[in-house]
Amino acid sequence: MSRSSCHLFLFLLLFALFPFPLLARPFVLVLSQDDLKDVQNDDVSPLDSDSSWDDDDFGGTHVKPDDELDPGSWRRLFEPPTTLLSPSHDTSLDSYYAAVHKIISASNNGDARLMEEAAAEIETAANTDGDPHARSVLGFLCGMGMMRERNKAKAFLNHYFAAEGGNAQSKMALAYTYSRQDMHEKAVKLYAELAEIAVNSFLISKDSPVIEPIRIHNGAEENKEALKKSRGEDDEDFQILEYQAQKGNAGAMYKMGLFYYFGLRGLRRDHTKALMWFLKAVDKGEPRSLELLGEIYARGAGVERNYTKALEWLSLASEHGLYSAYNGMGYLHVKGYGVEKNYTKAKEYFDKAADNEDAGGHYNLGVMYLKGIGVKRDVKIACKCFIVAANAGQPKAFYQLAKMFHTGVGLKKNLPMATALYKLVAERGPWSSLSRWALESYLKGDMGKAFLLYSRMAELGYEIAQSNAAWILDKYGERSMCMGESGVCTDAERHQRAHSLWWQASEQGNEHAALLIGDAYYYGRGTVRDYERAAEAYIHAKSQSNAQAMFNLGYMHEHGQGLPFDLHLAKRYYDQALELDPAAKLPVTLALASLWVRKNYADSFLVSCSLWYMSCFCLSLPEHV
């Protein structure tokens, strides 16, 4: 037990949680003394009576394949099995996948006839056969208005029945819909189930680094550096690294193993290649590979599972000062895998990891104290350990804190907070593969396919996917191959859909989205022109310290558009824009010059001249300051 952290009681805890996929910014959780429930540790009934605590909270090694965790996934179409008929291949779904394949092809080529044919096949499978996965896709088509009338009620019903039939992605869509409507009682149950699926697929000793889904735009410009690093084996830097590894560089071998094991830099996960590179790195004296080899043998990832070998590799890693390896050793002793079950020994290993500032060590100690495994149950200590682990970015700790807020064990019941934390974890589930396929499509120039995949993710509540889909519509227009209710999207349908997507992203904290919503109302794109609502959107973006929003508000005050005519407030906003962003110097200087003319020569022809000049310079002012 780390005395410096788990025994230290903080009355006010402020920490930024690990930036989970698809958030505009790190999630910030503030805990006060009021949140910490005064629990009697011998009162175990809340924990024992709640089935949500019956799972293996240490995180197991018996992980199901992604196809089982995410039934109806489109993985078969983007990551086909190496053999024509693998043991897990379900031929009963062939017609479903054939229809989805047509949808993807039609979206990529802008083929309205093929899209209509596919949509009809999906509708028949959903309504006649009751196929839950077809219902999920039909819900998506109705919600987006693709070859079907855009109908949120039909979308909801199809997702509801698909979720009842076991489709995880429809559960995500439903949970997101409930959370947007503040129906936390319903949202929290679904997100809890999805988060459990996600967390049980995590690794036991060394957690995968969070693979941030790429935002294909950064403001109004493409995030070129991030995109460059996501090209997989086509990336020049990766090719150089591979060459160095082949020439015997131990560090390069280790990195190659990491890339293939975790699926980093746009590579597909390949445990067999990872094992090969880690073994070569160990032969060259690279100790960091030892822990990953222990992980591989414990999970049976690319090799036959062997707990005895796993313990040997982890023990060697710990001898080389890799303290996180103690977590794997502790886990094997807790479960009795490859060694006699020994809680005392397990706690010693977790203590060693925690004493060396390892987040996994704090987390595992928290589980022991939460459940009273080998120690006297102490929910307060467990809570503090989870907080330390979460502060260090341990994803399973977020899950435990979510359960505490959900059940009222250790923390006062708070369903909105539980919902938010569960959502963060759930978004790391196997359905997040959609993001990788969408990015691959985008990098290949397949805009229609990329837009379709990002749209599917957007429906599941992923903010970055909402932003990316909207940006493709705005950036590429007709090239986005957006499918509308009766064919390729009209301009009005594209603007309306982009507006809806930006609005959802704005709700989740994307300030750039709020700015674009203001633009949509200002110009009447995809919606009725409304200066007052434009001003509201800009004020929302301003609250996030957005310089462009401040400039726009100044402009609207200067011209009395949606805001009171007020030259003093206009100047204040212009000054604030310049303080936040020195790049705004030219437009701010021109705007201030215009204000000076209006104040000092109110009835002069100079006012008309200055207004004409500003209108020419700032023809699309809210967009291109």
Side-chain angles (χ1 to χ4, degrees):
M1 185 72 182
S2 175
R3 298 177 180 84
S4 64
S5 53
C6 288
H7 284 276
L8 178 62
F9 185 77
L10 301 177
F11 291 105
L12 178 62
L13 293 160
L14 171 64
F15 57 88
L17 295 186
F18 208 80
F20 266 84
L22 316 180
L23 285 187
R25 58 184 51 76
F27 186 89
V28 178
L29 172 65
V30 179
L31 294 183
S32 69
Q33 186 178 8
D34 292 337
D35 294 310
L36 299 169
K37 190 173 181 180
D38 187 14
V39 180
Q40 298 297 321
N41 289 312
D42 55 356
D43 178 16
V44 297
S45 57
L47 183 63
D48 292 348
S49 63
D50 191 335
S51 62
S52 70
W53 297 90
D54 293 341
D55 53 286
D56 180 6
D57 289 299
F58 290 99
T61 57
H62 300 286
V63 180
K64 294 181 180 178
D66 283 345
D67 283 338
E68 291 185 38
L69 296 174
D70 185 17
S73 163
W74 299 353
R75 181 169 286 98
R76 184 190 299 186
L77 302 175
F78 289 92
E79 299 179 18
T82 53
T83 59
L84 292 177
L85 188 63
S86 67
S88 61
H89 187 90
D90 185 353
T91 55
S92 67
L93 294 177
D94 284 351
S95 59
Y96 160 74
Y97 281 113
V100 173
H101 179 70
K102 288 180 182 179
I103 289 175
I104 294 169
S105 298
S107 296
N108 206 43
N109 300 318
D111 189 336
R113 184 198 58 78
L114 183 62
M115 176 63 84
E116 174 56 40
E117 180 182 321
E121 291 175 8
I122 286 291
E123 189 166 26
T124 298
N127 296 334
T128 304
D129 304 332
D131 178 7
H133 309 314
R135 283 189 181 276
S136 181
V137 175
L138 183 59
F140 169 58
L141 297 178
C142 291
M144 293 295 292
M146 298 173 64
M147 306 311 292
R148 293 292 180 271
E149 179 185 2
R150 189 167 183 263
N151 189 315
K152 292 296 183 182
K154 286 185 178 179
F156 177 85
L157 284 175
N158 277 290
H159 282 308
Y160 179 84
F161 288 116
E164 289 287 304
N167 186 279
Q169 294 187 29
S170 280
K171 291 179 182 179
M172 282 287 287
L174 280 180
Y176 176 57
T177 298
Y178 288 138
S179 66
R180 288 188 74 195
Q181 299 173 2
D182 294 330
M183 300 172 67
H184 299 297
E185 287 277 0
K186 293 184 176 182
V188 76
K189 291 179 181 178
L190 287 169
Y191 275 134
E193 180 183 344
L194 294 160
E196 182 180 340
I197 293 173
V199 81
N200 283 338
S201 68
F202 295 167
L203 310 182
I204 61 168
S205 64
K206 191 172 186 64
D207 286 294
S208 167
V210 172
I211 303 171
E212 290 279 1
I214 302 299
R215 193 181 295 282
I216 60 176
H217 65 92
N218 184 11
E221 297 296 327
E222 291 187 73
N223 191 351
K224 294 180 181 178
E225 189 59 32
L227 294 176
K228 178 185 174 184
K229 293 179 179 179
S230 303
R231 295 184 180 275
E233 294 179 351
D234 293 331
D235 179 21
E236 184 179 339
D237 291 342
F238 174 82
Q239 293 171 354
I240 293 173
L241 182 73
E242 184 178 35
Y243 175 79
Q244 292 173 337
Q246 291 170 346
K247 290 296 183 181
N249 185 301
M253 292 174 178
Y254 168 70
K255 288 182 179 179
M256 289 289 293
L258 282 181
F259 287 174
Y260 279 114
Y261 188 57
F262 292 120
L264 304 177
R265 298 293 292 265
L267 293 174
R268 295 281 171 84
R269 287 185 181 182
D270 190 323
H271 292 147
T272 302
K273 286 185 178 180
L275 175 65
M276 175 194 72
W277 284 116
F278 286 141
L279 287 171
K280 288 185 176 183
V282 166
D283 287 342
K284 289 288 185 178
E286 172 52 72
R288 291 176 293 176
S289 294
L290 295 168
E291 182 182 359
L292 276 303
L293 286 170
E295 183 76 60
I296 283 173
Y297 277 101
R299 297 187 73 213
V303 69
E304 185 177 352
R305 179 180 280 119
N306 188 319
Y307 292 121
T308 302
K309 280 190 175 182
L311 186 59
E312 290 174 359
W313 286 116
L314 291 168
S315 298
L316 284 172
S318 67
E319 291 171 8
H320 283 80
L322 298 168
Y323 299 110
S324 57
Y326 285 120
N327 289 310
M329 297 166 68
Y331 175 82
L332 295 176
H333 280 83
V334 162
K335 303 299 293 183
Y337 291 155
V339 67
E340 185 177 349
K341 186 178 290 187
N342 188 325
Y343 295 146
T344 302
K345 197 83 171 172
K347 183 178 181 296
E348 289 177 5
Y349 286 132
F350 294 149
D351 273 329
K352 286 182 180 179
D355 286 338
N356 285 279
E357 305 303 325
D358 182 78
H362 293 297
Y363 169 80
N364 289 320
L365 285 172
V367 174
M368 295 193 81
Y369 278 100
L370 178 68
K371 294 192 168 186
I373 299 174
V375 295
K376 182 180 178 181
R377 183 176 179 233
D378 193 320
V379 177
K380 285 186 176 180
I381 292 179
C383 181
K384 296 167 202 167
C385 288
F386 291 144
I387 288 170
V388 172
N391 193 29
Q394 223 295 340
K396 286 178 283 191
F398 309 156
Y399 178 58
Q400 297 295 354
L401 290 170
K403 285 205 288 186
M404 287 182 156
F405 278 121
H406 186 189
T407 60
V409 173
L411 292 168
K412 289 183 180 178
K413 197 166 185 175
N414 185 331
L415 293 188
M417 184 63 73
T419 299
L421 292 175
Y422 277 140
K423 182 176 186 286
L424 291 174
V425 181
E427 287 182 339
R428 289 190 68 186
W431 35 87
S432 65
S433 294
L434 285 162
S435 180
R436 184 173 70 249
W437 306 330
L439 181 62
E440 288 176 357
S441 300
Y442 177 80
L443 293 173
K444 292 176 181 176
D446 296 335
M447 295 305 158
K449 189 185 298 185
F451 173 70
L452 178 77
L453 293 168
Y454 280 131
S455 296
R456 175 63 164 173
M457 286 192 79
E459 185 186 42
L460 308 188
Y462 287 83
E463 182 274 314
I464 287 184
Q466 292 162 354
S467 300
N468 286 349
W471 188 80
I472 288 174
L473 286 172
D474 286 345
K475 173 79 173 180
Y476 293 96
E478 292 182 359
R479 286 182 57 204
S480 67
M481 300 301 175
C482 164
M483 285 291 172
E485 293 185 356
S486 58
V488 177
C489 285
T490 63
D491 288 344
E493 284 179 315
R494 278 200 308 275
H495 289 318
Q496 188 280 330
R497 194 171 296 180
H499 180 75
S500 176
L501 289 163
W502 284 126
W503 187 267
Q504 292 175 60
S506 174
E507 289 178 345
Q508 301 198 71
N510 185 325
E511 67 178 52
H512 180 65
L515 196 68
L516 291 177
I517 289 169
D519 292 352
Y521 280 120
Y522 188 91
Y523 292 106
R525 284 201 308 263
T527 185
V528 177
R529 175 174 286 185
D530 188 328
Y531 289 137
E532 290 184 1
R533 298 191 74 175
E536 290 175 2
Y538 292 143
I539 289 170
H540 178 63
K542 165 193 167 286
S543 69
Q544 298 165 319
S545 299
N546 185 287
Q548 188 169 324
M550 291 179 180
F551 188 99
N552 295 350
L553 289 167
Y555 183 87
M556 295 178 80
H557 270 300
E558 181 183 354
H559 298 276
Q561 294 177 330
L563 292 170
F565 174 77
D566 191 323
L567 299 183
H568 293 288
L569 275 178
K571 183 178 185 305
R572 183 183 301 174
Y573 280 125
Y574 288 145
D575 288 339
Q576 289 177 352
L578 184 57
E579 288 175 8
L580 280 173
D581 187 359
K585 184 174 182 178
L586 178 58
V588 167
T589 300
L590 290 171
L592 291 174
S594 174
L595 283 179
W596 183 85
V597 170
R598 298 187 70 169
K599 285 182 180 180
N600 293 278
Y601 300 93
D603 299 321
S604 167
F605 77 97
L606 292 175
V607 173
S608 298
C609 291
S610 67
L611 290 177
W612 175 83
Y613 184 77
M614 282 294 292
S615 67
C616 290
F617 180 81
C618 304
L619 186 58
S620 301
L621 185 61
E623 293 182 289
H624 302 296
V625 171

